Amino acid sequence: MTTIHDVARASGVSISTVSRAMSRPEQVNATTRERVLAAAAELDYRPSTAARSLTSGRSMTLGLLVPDITNPFFFDLIRGTQGRSATAGYHQILIDTQESVELEQHHIAASAKESDGLVLAASRLTDEALAAAARTVPLVAINRSTPGVSSVVIDTPSGMGQAVDHLASLGHRKVAYLSGPRSSWSNARRWRAVQQAARRTGISARQLGPFPPTREAGAAAADAAVHAGVTAVLAFNDLIALGVLRRLFDRGLSVPEDMSVVGCDNTFGSDFCHPPLTTVSAPIEQAGQLATDMLLALLRSPVPSPRVHELPAVLTIRGSTGPVPRPRRSE
Amino acid sequence: MTTIHDVARASGVSISTVSRAMSRPEQVNATTRERVLAAAAELDYRPSTAARSLTSGRSMTLGLLVPDITNPFFFDLIRGTQGRSATAGYHQILIDTQESVELEQHHIAASAKESDGLVLAASRLTDEALAAAARTVPLVAINRSTPGVSSVVIDTPSGMGQAVDHLASLGHRKVAYLSGPRSSWSNARRWRAVQQAARRTGISARQLGPFPPTREAGAAAADAAVHAGVTAVLAFNDLIALGVLRRLFDRGLSVPEDMSVVGCDNTFGSDFCHPPLTTVSAPIEQAGQLATDMLLALLRSPVPSPRVHELPAVLTIRGSTGPVPRPRRSE
DNA sequence: TTGAAAGCGCTAACAA
DNA sequence: TTGTTAGCGCTTTCAA
């Protein structure tokens, strides 16, 4: 393996000059620099990241923690963060915390050593734990805001409010919110938004669940909704909504004729399922990019004061919502 | 930050004893060990990975290179590799090579320093380049086999053959293969399998494309297929097939009444699109797990001889294929 | 079973 | 502008 010493020898300079030529080219004489760089290229020299991070204290690695790697929401996020960290010359390590608070805690503590900073997606930590973590390692949270922590928040609640308005204007009077995980901050916000909009429009909204944010759980959610006698459901996320669609179909019910369905996030698949899902479009990839940019900024200038960025989300109406079913008359 | 020295001081031993207590507990006296471990826990000591990898030469990191992070095929793969590397105590770094040979080359060379090994998904490298890379760094390829390189290959070609049989038995006589990227090894294999099966069953198969493996490209593919006058298409992957479905719908054509559509891989979405896609089910997640296991084995015992594992893929028939349209009679 | 000491490859004062 | 040198935190001989 080629080391800095080999390059130094080959170009007839000291190792510090090589080091400078690599890291701060402007600090070395142009001709020397060229000679060193040529030798380095010749020998195919690549600085050891281990040694580099040992001395510099920086690993040029960013961590992305997601609660469930199988959820398409996080795919979009991964795209966003990966792109930005790559451009900035950082590697990204990807960690699945499997919806477990303990695992998340553990990985935050562990990653603090390997990464220069962390992006936490949909953290399940308590406010205190999250704030404490933010004091340990530079960190930006996505869809999880708490004092003392920089974050990017997607305003899906307002989209959910729009969805309730939409349903009300279609004549629905009884709707249900299909709740996501209890520990999800977004879930609480969405349900609150649904309640407020329901009050405002004078319709009745109840909560069903909680359900795991998966397609499988959508089946149970669908049954619960039918049993509750509502004419429309707003799901915590598209995955649950997709599961609802499937279960309703299997039970011989039509969407939106028998039941209207609204998803949330507009993740992969929600536009080509059947019928296409009315959902709240969240700029997830952009959120990932923004969070990475904020983290990068944090690394440059240690925390002036935590920032919270809110990204708008807007209702996208597609085929899964329609007028409330009229009571049939026998002919 | 707590270092090995702090723990040594706190427990009244030398740093080498602390080091041993952490890395090779059996080499240190039980009572001493307990004392050291207690002190370490007390001080919340975590060995620096940088220092560790500098001395040990191992980074406990595995790299996963994918050509396109937005392709659902790779999501399933990420799941598989991530799970296994996590269990083995390795971090995973994720790299998007953006379908670029140069970027792939670059990242392989770069990652060789940071990672202990690499999983290359659908490598676009030439045989020589790939074999050369494998000599540089422990590596397992997925869906890309070449002498001297360990790999996991999913037998989608045989599934494609089954698909042709299936179409033939439905009465189709003219089908098209919607080609993926030229540099894709899988693409060549699939097209060959389609040709062979077509010859065997006595139907005509032609190739259309190449098309980028995206939903967007599926639109162009659909138009090309209609223009070619075929009654069925077999797409390089589900993404293209999904795009075809959409385009056909937009053009007012029905699937499978006017055209049968077959996808490949059975990735997320292919079961809930409309109509559900007949496709070749590839055990992608399992491939990711297997590749990681093989890589881990490689790390333990340096290459006995490269292994190739083939995983079976089987045709899954759903709603997007049906009998060939009968010429309508006017009534 | 333990400790002393020599690095691993690099960066960053400090001197020259 | 360049070189010398002292580490960064750890692992690993080698002795004791």
Side-chain angles (χ1 to χ4, degrees), chain A residues 105 108-109 112 118 120 123 125-139 144 146-149:
Chain A
Q105 284 275 30
I108 290 175
L118 261 34
L120 294 194
S123 173
L125 262 38
T126 60
D127 282 1
E128 299 73 39
L130 188 53
R135 268 176 258 120
T136 312
V137 51
L139 145 185
R144 182 63 158 76
T146 201
V149 179

Side-chain angles (χ1 to χ4, degrees), chain A residues 37 39 68 93 111 162 168 175 200-201 233 251 262 268 279 302 309:
Chain A
L37 261 23
D68 174 14
I93 92 173
S111 307
Q162 298 167 36
V175 307
R200 192 177 61 226
T201 52
V233 295
R251 288 188 55 173
V262 177
F268 184 83
T279 188
H309 270 273

Side-chain angles (χ1 to χ4, degrees), chain A residues 99 101 122-126 144 180-188 210:
Chain A
E99 302 271 4
V101 178
S123 173
R124 303 312 196 206
L125 262 38
T126 60
R144 182 63 158 76
R182 276 207 201 295
S183 53
S184 160
W185 185 77
S186 296
N187 182 60

Side-chain angles (χ1 to χ4, degrees), chain A:
Chain A
M1 201 180 68
T2 325
T3 76
I4 200 171
H5 288 98
D6 302 317
V7 180
R9 201 173 317 115
S11 47
V13 298
S14 73
I15 59 163
S16 16
T17 301
V18 177
S19 175
R20 283 186 210 107
M22 305 301 293
S23 319
R24 299 166 179 15
E26 71 284 359
Q27 284 191 19
V28 15
N29 180 291
T31 30
T32 333
R33 189 201 314 148
E34 304 240 318
R35 195 147 38 91
V36 172
L37 261 23
E42 169 72 23
L43 299 172
D44 193 31
Y45 166 67
R46 292 159 192 287
S48 145
T49 47
R52 207 170 235 192
S53 51
L54 185 56
T55 39
S56 69
R58 299 181 314 129
S59 60
M60 296 308 282
T61 295
L62 262 28
L64 172 63
L65 273 72
V66 300
D68 174 14
I69 214 168
T70 71
N71 183 331
F73 178 88
F74 299 110
F75 298 160
D76 291 323
L77 211 59
I78 293 175
R79 285 181 209 171
T81 54
Q82 149 83 31
R84 283 302 213 263
S85 15
T87 334
Y90 281 78
H91 280 290
Q92 175 174 87
I93 92 173
L94 178 63
I95 297 166
D96 183 4
T97 59
Q98 300 174 59
E99 302 271 4
S100 146
V101 178
E102 291 72 32
L103 264 180
E104 188 176 343
Q105 284 275 30
H106 167 84
H107 282 296
I108 290 175
S111 307
K113 304 289 287 195
E114 357 250 313
S115 315
D116 294 338
L118 261 34
V119 172
L120 294 194
S123 173
R124 303 312 196 206
L125 262 38
T126 60
D127 282 1
E128 299 73 39
L130 188 53
R135 268 176 258 120
T136 312
V137 51
L139 145 185
V140 175
I142 293 183
N143 270 0
R144 182 63 158 76
S145 173
T146 201
V149 179
S150 285
S151 59
V152 174
V153 170
I154 303 179
D155 189 14
T156 40
S158 112
M160 286 304 242
Q162 298 167 36
V164 172
D165 293 346
H166 165 60
L167 291 173
S169 70
L170 288 171
H172 294 270
R173 310 294 306 160
K174 261 185 93 179
V175 307
Y177 174 71
L178 308 177
S179 180
R182 276 207 201 295
S183 53
S184 160
W185 185 77
S186 296
N187 182 60
R189 296 177 80 218
R190 290 176 195 170
W191 166 226
R192 211 174 309 126
V194 167
Q195 281 176 290
Q196 286 173 358
R199 218 170 296 126
R200 192 177 61 226
T201 52
I203 72 176
S204 117
R206 54 178 299 188
Q207 187 175 201
L208 262 22
F211 302 102
T214 64
R215 256 195 318 146
E216 292 69 38
D223 290 345
V226 170
H227 184 250
V230 299
T231 60
V233 295
L234 301 107
F236 165 68
N237 72 358
D238 288 342
L239 241 25
I240 294 180
L242 250 20
V244 168
L245 249 32
R246 151 61 50 115
R247 176 63 176 174
L248 256 20
F249 177 83
D250 288 346
R251 288 188 55 173
L253 296 168
S254 321
V255 174
E257 288 74 14
D258 298 310
M259 175 88 77
S260 283
V261 177
V262 177
C264 187
D265 293 339
N266 194 19
T267 47
F268 184 83
S270 57
D271 60 332
F272 62 76
C273 55
H274 187 70
L277 207 53
T278 292
T279 188
V280 175
S281 291
I284 308 175
E285 183 170 355
Q286 193 193 336
Q289 295 173 339
L290 184 53
T292 309
D293 289 344
M294 289 170 66
L295 184 55
L296 256 14
L298 258 181
L299 297 183
R300 277 185 222 102
S301 56
V303 61
S305 65
R307 299 224 167 291
V308 177
H309 270 273
E310 190 163 47
L311 258 23
V314 37
L315 182 66
T316 299
I317 297 176
R318 292 198 276 240
S320 68
T321 47
V324 64
R326 296 190 163 268
R328 305 239 175 102
R329 309 189 175 210
S330 39
E331 309 196 3

Side-chain angles (χ1 to χ4, degrees), chain B residues 8 50 57 63 71 74 88 91 98 111 117 121 130 148 150 167 174 176 186 192 272 279 282 327:
Chain B
N71 182 330
F74 300 110
H91 280 291
Q98 300 173 62
S111 307
L130 187 54
S150 286
L167 291 174
K174 260 185 95 177
S186 297
R192 211 173 310 127
F272 63 75
T279 188

